[in-house]
Amino acid sequence: TEIAYIDITAVRPLDAREMSPLPGFPLLVLETAWLCHYIAFRDEVARDTFGEKIESAIEAHIKEVEASASLQEADLRKARFWQGFQSLSESSLSSGNGKWAKLSSKDKIKQRAILNGRRMIFDSVDVGEVDMSNGFAFVEDLLARALSFSLESLENDPESFIEFLDLTSQLRILPLDEIDPSNKSSLCLYANLYHCLLQQAMLLSVNGPLHKKSVTHFMRTACYEIGGDVFSL
């Protein structure tokens, strides 16, 4: 995977503890707007040294770009953000061989677009207090956030949408097996999940308004990973 320096928004060490997929190997996270990339090292010294070199290279690259371009750093980052926005559903999260089986759509094999995969499960979210013990309230808050976005708000405040993507990543650990399907509140939770996914998928629809020929593909490939399974519209 190739990552441009200007696309990296944060470089941070990760203490995954017992959730680490590689116990004993320190992890470093390279954050981009649409995806977090994880690198394992043999020890913390190697990790921290690499992280410092990456941060220095990013700083030098930004200065070089600013000196030779008419755009300021903020404008450059915004332009790169929108470039990633436009390619997300067809490349960043749906390319390659994912862990979920591909599906057939209009006699073509398509990869599912997992829209809540910015962070891995072992990478916890530090955005306020995320109470996964109350899944009903958590999902209700997610839907309220999803409905608050517009193309204009994404352009003016892209960081709020990145925060939303991080929160949707937590749906991967939502304990669906503990939810009583006979409970009326469960129906509200499933409806909120559906509309949250629908709203997010519509925001990321890069091919314009849906039409008769594209709606089936859209409904089948836009997915959330929830509780160890994958769900489409």
Side-chain angles (χ1 to χ4, degrees):
T1 300
E2 295 184 1
I3 309 173
Y5 284 134
I6 199 170
D7 287 341
I8 300 176
T9 58
V11 179
R12 57 183 172 86
L14 175 62
D15 182 10
R17 300 180 183 178
E18 67 275 2
M19 294 187 68
S20 174
L22 296 171
F25 292 89
L27 300 175
L28 186 73
V29 185
L30 303 183
E31 288 197 27
T32 66
W34 299 107
L35 200 62
C36 291
H37 303 265
Y38 303 88
I39 309 174
F41 296 84
R42 67 174 182 271
D43 55 47
E44 291 186 359
V45 174
R47 179 196 64 188
D48 295 343
T49 299
F50 182 82
E52 291 172 0
K53 290 183 177 180
I54 286 290
E55 289 180 328
S56 297
I58 293 172
E59 183 178 354
H61 178 73
I62 293 297
K63 289 181 179 179
E64 179 182 348
V65 171
E66 286 185 328
S68 60
S70 59
L71 294 175
Q72 296 298 314
E73 178 183 354
D75 295 321
L76 288 170
R77 288 189 179 277
K78 182 180 293 187
R80 298 290 294 188
F81 175 87
W82 280 101
Q83 182 180 5
F85 177 86
Q86 292 173 351
S87 63
L88 171 68
S89 60
E90 296 182 353
S91 60
S92 329
L93 298 183
S94 60
S95 61
N97 295 318
K99 70 176 182 178
W100 301 110
K102 295 182 180 180
L103 49 82
S104 176
S105 178
K106 294 187 179 299
D107 299 324
K108 294 181 180 180
I109 301 301
K110 299 291 185 179
Q111 183 74 37
R112 304 170 195 265
I114 308 299
L115 301 184
N116 66 325
R118 183 176 187 269
R119 291 195 186 206
M120 299 298 289
I121 296 175
F122 54 82
D123 189 7
S124 62
V125 177
D126 295 324
V127 184
E129 294 294 328
V130 179
D131 184 13
M132 289 305 295
S133 62
N134 188 349
F136 298 96
F138 179 77
V139 172
E140 184 177 350
D141 176 67
L142 276 184
L143 178 58
R145 288 173 182 256
L147 294 174
S148 70
F149 295 119
S150 65
L151 293 180
E152 181 179 359
S153 69
L154 288 177
E155 182 176 356
N156 294 331
D157 185 20
E159 288 77 14
S160 64
F161 190 69
I162 294 173
E163 180 180 307
F164 168 76
L165 292 177
D166 283 343
L167 289 173
T168 62
S169 297
Q170 296 297 98
L171 290 173
R172 290 176 162 188
I173 58 174
L174 184 68
L176 290 179
D177 56 334
E178 298 178 9
I179 297 174
D180 182 3
S182 63
N183 190 321
K184 292 183 178 180
S185 298
S186 300
L187 178 61
C188 293
L189 180 139
Y190 296 136
N192 288 342
L193 281 173
Y194 176 85
H195 287 97
C196 187
L197 173 57
L198 177 62
Q199 176 70 359
Q200 184 176 347
M202 291 290 289
L203 285 170
L204 299 179
S205 178
V206 298
N207 297 317
L210 297 177
H211 50 79
K212 187 175 181 180
K213 292 184 178 180
S214 66
V215 66
T216 300
H217 170 75
F218 173 83
M219 299 289 283
R220 297 196 67 192
T221 57
C223 303
Y224 272 165
E225 181 181 342
I226 307 174
D229 208 339
V230 63
F231 298 87
S232 67
L233 291 168

